[in-house]
Amino acid sequence: MRQILDIQKRLLPDLTDVLKKRYTILHHISTTGVVGRRALATHLELSERVLRGEVDFLREQGLLETESSGMKLSDSGRQLLEDMEPIVKELLGLSDLEETLRTRFSLRQVVIVPGDSDVSELTKKEVGRAGAAALRRYASKNDVVAVAGGSTLAEVANFLTPSVQMKGCMFVPARGGLGESVELQANSIASTMAKKAGGQYRLLHVPDHLGEEAYVSLMQDPNILEIVEVIRSARIVVHGIGDAMVMARRRKVDSQTIQELMAEGALAEAFGYYFDREGNVVHKMQTVGLRLEDIQETEVVIAVAGGKSKGEAIAAVMKFGHEDVLVTDEAAATELLKFI
């Protein structure tokens, strides 16, 4: 396939541009579900005249359907979009980038979607869709799946669907709540994933950041201890990756600890741990839930994070070396190359 694409790029470059444009249109409609032409033109930065011609063509091919509320993909459109994905990745050079990162960080799989989550909500949604697909791929019946919080993980939850391989899965929060928006907390994401996938869930009603005395007290509660044991038995962990300083402030960490994190060179945060540029753990929070030793024993660890601004943070966590799957976007992946 690559040889054919190389020939096409050289002899028919216009055809390649048309393919990319039509794929982008179908892809955006797929991500949004139903969308009006004017809104789509704005998102794609196309004139309504140009978009009208493309939409008319796609509709004539049976790839789009029109409703009173807007356009949506037909079944044929969804199938074609799925078939086109590996071709478009070759055209954009994403397949080579996936393999480069997979080899460098010794991962089972790297999935890269086009775009930059920092500037496009649709790209963030697509990262979520790809994260949901990765989870479906690696899950098996009756697994315990521990999930972290955050906006990207919320998108993963939104794109889960019932599947045979996820039947009977138990979804649990990887840790306590951050005090952020309820829908972005690990508890909410775990329950959404269970409902979307047709599984079950358990919740952990404790704060994420605890003092030593509060931690010891909670861990003596038999109800808390029981759910924590379930969480720590997870076969799959799905988590995001954050900028260290941003996450410290979200956790309302005191100024002295923030100064210490800066002095230690903390760049990234994942599952309550802070990592420096080389992937070393430089700080950990006292948290009920998954511990570092649990992550190291987990069979499948899936990181889902995108955006150019997170490139260095993602690299730091990848260098830690206990990830199995990375789902990210083109901007973050390109930035990652600078830190290999």
Side-chain angles (χ1 to χ4, degrees):
M1 181 176 70
R2 176 168 293 186
Q3 185 178 12
I4 295 172
L5 291 174
D6 287 342
I7 293 171
Q8 180 178 298
K9 285 179 185 178
R10 296 178 68 182
L11 295 180
L12 300 164
D14 293 346
L15 184 59
T16 298
D17 292 339
V18 171
L19 186 149
K20 289 179 181 177
K21 179 165 61 177
R22 290 175 178 168
Y23 173 83
T24 301
I25 291 170
L26 291 172
H27 183 266
H28 275 67
I29 295 173
S30 171
T31 303
T32 54
V34 178
V35 63
R37 191 165 60 201
R38 181 172 298 177
L40 184 60
T42 300
H43 278 303
L44 298 178
E45 298 182 345
L46 294 173
S47 70
E48 288 197 53
R49 181 185 62 80
V50 170
L51 183 63
R52 184 185 305 115
E54 297 295 343
V55 165
D56 287 345
F57 173 83
L58 295 170
R59 188 184 296 113
E60 288 169 4
Q61 299 302 309
L63 305 175
L64 294 180
E65 297 175 352
T66 303
E67 299 180 343
S68 58
S69 54
M71 301 171 287
K72 69 175 185 179
L73 291 191
S74 65
D75 290 341
S76 296
R78 279 188 287 273
Q79 184 59 54
L80 180 64
L81 193 62
E82 185 177 322
D83 294 341
M84 286 177 69
E85 187 169 343
I87 298 172
V88 172
K89 282 195 172 187
E90 286 285 354
L91 287 172
L92 297 177
L94 298 185
S95 297
D96 288 340
L97 185 51
E98 286 175 341
E99 183 58 22
T100 297
L101 295 179
R102 189 196 68 79
T103 302
R104 169 59 184 83
F105 294 114
S106 302
L107 300 168
R108 293 192 202 180
Q109 184 184 15
V110 174
V111 180
I112 302 171
V113 307
D116 183 349
S117 296
D118 284 346
V119 299
S120 170
E121 279 299 314
L122 289 175
T123 299
K124 179 179 280 191
K125 288 181 182 294
E126 182 60 14
V127 171
R129 184 198 65 78
L135 177 52
R136 281 193 297 270
R137 174 177 179 177
Y138 291 97
S140 55
K141 289 182 180 179
N142 303 316
D143 274 347
V144 175
V145 181
V147 299
S151 58
T152 305
L153 270 293
E155 294 293 354
V156 174
N158 289 334
F159 281 97
L160 278 183
T161 54
S163 61
V164 174
Q165 64 267 39
M166 299 190 76
K167 185 177 181 181
C169 282
M170 173 70 72
F171 294 86
V172 294
R175 61 190 193 212
L178 272 178
E180 56 194 346
S181 301
V182 172
E183 64 272 16
L184 301 184
Q185 292 186 13
N187 272 335
S188 298
I189 292 170
S191 65
T192 299
M193 284 186 170
K195 292 167 186 174
K196 293 275 189 175
Q200 305 171 7
Y201 65 92
R202 299 283 301 276
L203 303 180
L204 180 64
H205 295 294
V206 299
D208 186 60
H209 184 34
L210 296 167
E212 181 67 30
E213 187 176 338
Y215 175 81
V216 171
S217 176
L218 279 171
M219 292 303 287
Q220 292 175 345
D221 184 304
N223 294 318
I224 297 294
L225 193 57
E226 191 239 339
I227 180 60
V228 168
E229 288 176 352
V230 173
I231 292 169
R232 291 176 178 174
S233 73
R235 192 182 79 85
I236 298 177
V237 172
V238 188
H239 69 89
I241 296 171
D243 175 273
M245 294 303 109
V246 171
M247 294 304 298
R249 294 185 181 99
R250 279 174 60 186
R251 284 196 165 89
K252 297 180 174 57
V253 171
D254 61 83
S255 57
Q256 180 180 341
T257 302
I258 288 179
Q259 291 298 320
E260 291 172 0
L261 287 170
M262 294 175 68
E264 292 166 341
L267 285 176
E269 186 276 342
F271 38 82
Y273 290 79
Y274 291 81
F275 302 83
D276 67 11
R277 181 174 277 104
E278 300 306 317
N280 302 309
V281 176
V282 296
H283 187 80
K284 66 177 182 178
M285 307 298 294
Q286 188 74 274
T287 180
V288 174
L290 283 179
R291 303 161 300 184
L292 199 61
E293 54 264 40
D294 302 314
I295 296 290
Q296 292 169 327
E297 295 297 323
T298 301
E299 192 170 327
V300 182
V301 181
I302 302 173
V304 188
K308 181 179 179 179
S309 64
K310 287 190 178 180
E312 190 172 13
I314 296 171
V317 176
M318 292 304 105
K319 289 177 182 178
F320 170 62
H322 289 279
E323 309 298 313
D324 296 290
V325 180
L326 171 63
V327 179
T328 189
D329 60 29
E330 183 180 5
T334 302
E335 194 72 7
L336 258 173
L337 288 177
K338 300 176 182 178
F339 304 103
I340 288 179

